[in-house]
């Protein structure tokens, strides 16, 4: 397995994020790490933790989709918040392993240095996403094959493809499914079902479906304004894909947000399902496609809670968030929001 770009954490690495206080215990003091960071596969087997958190701080997939870079900034901000959550009866921390992150900075550097025109850059980024896919898929496969649930913090939504593929293969290896295929629920302003024109953040679910790793897919909260007509026609004609638009929930009030999420859960209940949350669906959260109109932070937490309680979870993937975009926009709170969402998931899934 090629994990050239994966940086494993030691306990010391994790503790460097923790603000230690007398008489208190923080999550970072309780979470597990790999016992031998140089032997990732064997160490994964030795983990007793049920949830394995990994970071993919990259924005190559977003740039390959003509988007604004910056999603590589969410991971450290998330760690800072997550590892300083109080360890208590609500969430102790020992059930979680924080094992490390991918660093694809060398690939970004080579592209920035050698590709000059917009066209050359797009082609190089799309090519690079294949390399990211391979490494992410390999690690996710190992995690799920060892009966653990990956919690993946992106990064662009391009990573849904290798996470779906890796989970499907890992769950097959663990004999939990008889075919390497899973379902997905996704809270997102976009379908990310654009055509197969080279890999990027806008077509992960198309590639996953065409390669037969994605069986059923339901998107909650897509914005009519950002739904290409060709994608809409494909979705309407595909019985394995369903969606509920943001407008149908919040403008036309055809069903409540809770009913929409419940529908997505029921649509995908016949198999393990990946739980996807693109932060560009949440109003005013900093992301490559941030929007003044979207679901509330409370809705996002309710979505994660409902999915954690009722979905046969293959994984949780929270992506597209940023604390600093290349256009200069900043927001410090994105990591804290992701931290709430991850802790919500673990607490409700544990029950
Ligand atoms: N993952 C996001 N996908 C969106 C990107 C939109 C944007 O960056 O503006 C899409 O392809 O439509």
């Amino acid at each position: 397995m090629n994990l050239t770009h994966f940086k494993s954490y030691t306990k010391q690495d994790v503790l460097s994020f923790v603000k230690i206080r007398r008489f208190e215990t923080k999550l970072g003091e309780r979470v597990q790490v790999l016992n031998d960071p140089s032997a990732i596969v064997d160490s994964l087997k030795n983990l007793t933790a049920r949830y394995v958190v990994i970071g993919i701080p990259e924005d190559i997939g977003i740039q390959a989709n003509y988007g604004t870079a910056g999603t590589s900034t969410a991971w450290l901000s998330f760690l800072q918040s997550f590892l300083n959550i109080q360890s208590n009866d609500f969430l102790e921390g020992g059930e979680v392993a924080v094992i490390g992150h991918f660093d694809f900075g060398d690939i970004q550097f080579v592209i920035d240095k050698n590709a000059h025109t917009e066209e050359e850059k797009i082609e190089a980024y799309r090519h690079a996403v294949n390399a990211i896919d391979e490494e992410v898929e390999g690690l996710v496969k190992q995690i799920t094959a060892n009966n653990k649930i990956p919690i993946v913090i992106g990064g662009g939504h391009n990573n849904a493809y290798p996470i779906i593929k890796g989970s499907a293969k890992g769950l097959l290896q663990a004999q939990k499914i008889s075919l390497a295929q899973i379902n997905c629920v996704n809270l997102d302003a976009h379908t990310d079902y654009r055509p197969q024109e080279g890999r990027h953040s806008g077509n992960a679910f198309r590639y996953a479906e065409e390669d037969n790793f994605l069986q059923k897919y339901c998107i909650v909260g897509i914005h009519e304004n950002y739904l290409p007509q060709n994608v809409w026609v494909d979705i309407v004609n595909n019985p394995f894909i369903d969606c509920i638009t943001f407008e149908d929930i919040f403008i036309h009030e055809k069903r409540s947000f809770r009913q929409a999420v419940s529908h997505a859960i029921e649509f995908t209940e016949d198999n393990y399902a990946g739980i996807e949350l693109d932060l560009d669906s949440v109003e005013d959260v900093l992301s490559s496609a941030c929007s003044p109109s979207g679901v509330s932070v409370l809705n996002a937490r309710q979505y994660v809670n409902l999915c954690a309680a009722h979905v046969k979870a293959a994984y949780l993937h929270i992506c597209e968030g940023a604390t600093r975009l290349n256009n200069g926009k900043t927001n410090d709170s994105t990591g804290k929001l992701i931290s709430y969402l991850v802790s919500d998931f673990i607490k409700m899934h544990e029950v």
Side-chain angles (χ1 to χ4, degrees), residues 279-287 290-295 331 333-334:
L279 288 169
D280 69 22
S281 66
V282 186
E283 192 166 298
D284 285 334
V285 167
L286 198 67
S287 70
C290 55
S291 177
S293 177
V295 304
N331 188 330
S333 64
T334 312

Side-chain angles (χ1 to χ4, degrees), residues 63-312:
Q63 292 169 91
N65 192 23
Y66 303 96
T68 309
T71 50
S72 56
T73 58
W75 170 245
L76 286 184
S77 156
F78 158 73
L79 275 188
Q80 191 76 50
S81 293
F82 186 68
L83 296 173
N84 282 291
I85 288 179
Q86 297 286 344
S87 166
N88 56 25
D89 281 350
F90 298 96
L91 181 61
E92 197 271 343
E95 61 279 59
V96 184
V98 179
I99 66 164
H101 72 266
F102 287 96
D103 179 358
F104 297 107
D106 60 336
I107 299 180
Q108 176 82 49
F109 179 78
V110 169
I111 296 174
D112 289 346
K113 199 156 179 277
N114 297 302
H116 302 298
T117 63
E118 166 91 340
E119 207 180 319
E120 273 175 6
K121 281 196 169 144
I122 293 291
E123 200 179 322
Y125 284 134
R126 289 181 179 182
H127 187 70
V129 176
N130 294 310
I132 297 174
D133 286 349
E134 189 202 326
E135 290 197 39
V136 172
E137 177 199 326
L139 184 58
V140 169
K141 181 184 170 194
Q142 288 303 323
I143 296 170
T144 50
N146 282 292
N147 295 309
K148 302 184 187 310
I149 297 185
I151 296 179
V152 186
I153 310 303
H157 220 158
N158 43 294
N159 294 306
Y161 171 63
I163 298 170
I164 292 167
K165 193 170 171 184
S167 297
K169 288 182 174 181
L171 289 168
L172 179 70
Q173 192 173 310
Q175 297 184 327
K176 287 186 167 171
I177 49 179
S178 54
L179 206 62
Q181 272 192 341
I182 61 167
N183 297 337
C184 262
V185 291
N186 184 16
L187 177 61
D188 202 330
H190 314 91
T191 61
D192 291 337
Y193 194 66
R194 287 176 185 276
Q196 291 183 295
E197 57 186 352
R199 288 280 296 117
H200 59 63
S201 65
N203 58 22
F205 297 95
R206 175 80 70 168
Y207 275 84
E209 200 227 12
E210 292 282 334
D211 290 355
N212 285 319
F213 295 107
L214 178 62
Q215 190 183 16
K216 284 185 181 169
Y217 178 38
C218 191
I219 319 118
V220 176
I222 50 173
H223 291 200
E224 290 173 2
N225 286 5
Y226 298 98
L227 177 57
Q229 178 64 14
N230 62 341
V231 169
W232 173 240
V233 169
D234 287 350
I235 288 178
V236 169
N237 289 312
N238 188 334
F240 296 100
I241 303 184
D242 201 0
C243 66
I244 305 125
T245 64
F246 178 88
E247 285 73 16
D248 271 354
I249 302 167
F250 295 101
I251 310 296
H252 312 304
E253 297 181 332
K254 288 187 183 166
R255 40 182 132 178
S256 68
F257 181 72
R258 194 187 173 91
Q259 284 169 334
V261 176
S262 297
H263 173 80
I265 291 169
E266 279 162 29
F267 186 73
T268 55
E269 72 186 354
D270 61 342
N271 196 357
Y272 280 87
I275 302 166
E276 296 276 346
L277 201 169
D278 187 321
L279 288 169
D280 69 22
S281 66
V282 186
E283 192 166 298
D284 285 334
V285 167
L286 198 67
S287 70
S288 87
C290 55
S291 177
S293 177
V295 304
S296 68
V297 164
L298 199 59
N299 291 146
R301 291 187 66 179
Q302 287 164 338
Y303 166 79
V304 168
N305 267 270
L306 278 168
C307 289
H310 302 294
V311 169
K312 229 167 141 187

